[in-house]
């Protein structure tokens, strides 16, 4: 199953390419932020924001409360580990590594 999963934007990897670094429950990767990029502010304003990530794209901004509730629900359903494993095994939008 391929779900949208909450991630926190931790940095901007390449502003011209609209790529940001995100942390997804300890897994880091780069995602495309075109869909959530502010039109009237610098891309760096996204740092710290929570987004819903699906197939390498940040699809929408969500609140931290919603992000944490979704992560908890995914963990309860047993889907969180599956999704994180899938993210680690695919690298089409950047390298992944577990956070120490």
């Amino acid at each position: 199953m391929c779900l949208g999963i909450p991630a926190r934007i931790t940095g901007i990897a390449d502003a011209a390419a609209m790529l940001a670094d995100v942390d997804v429950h300890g897994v880091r990767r780069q995602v495309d932020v075109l869909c959530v990029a502010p039109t009237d502010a610098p891309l760096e304003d996204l740092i710290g924001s929570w987004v819903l990530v699906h197939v390498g794209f940040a699809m929408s901004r969500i609140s931290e409360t919603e992000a944490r509730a979704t992560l908890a629900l995914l963990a309860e359903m047993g889907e969180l580990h599956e999704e994180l494993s899938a993210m680690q095994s695919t690298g089409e939008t950047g390298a992944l590594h577990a956070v120490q």
Side-chain angles (χ1 to χ4, degrees):
M1 183 184 301
C2 189
L3 301 171
I5 190 162
R8 189 170 192 151
I9 296 176
T10 59
I12 303 303
D14 184 342
M18 302 295 280
L19 294 175
D21 296 318
V22 297
D23 182 290
V24 182
H25 206 334
V27 175
R28 293 183 186 235
R29 77 174 307 152
Q30 289 181 357
V31 298
D32 186 304
V33 292
L34 180 63
C35 294
V36 298
T39 57
D40 57 350
L43 207 53
E44 287 75 13
D45 284 1
L46 287 174
I47 296 171
S49 297
W50 284 89
V51 293
L52 192 59
V53 174
H54 179 67
V55 294
F57 291 87
M59 301 303 293
S60 62
R61 290 191 209 184
I62 59 176
S63 70
E64 182 175 358
T65 301
E66 182 179 1
R68 294 194 185 284
T70 301
L71 287 169
L73 180 60
L74 289 172
E76 185 178 317
M77 292 172 32
E79 296 290 332
L80 184 58
H81 178 71
E82 181 180 327
E83 290 301 313
L84 293 175
S85 293
M87 290 184 77
Q88 287 176 322
S89 67
T90 59
E92 58 273 352
T93 59
L96 299 176
H97 63 276
V99 176
Q100 296 295 328

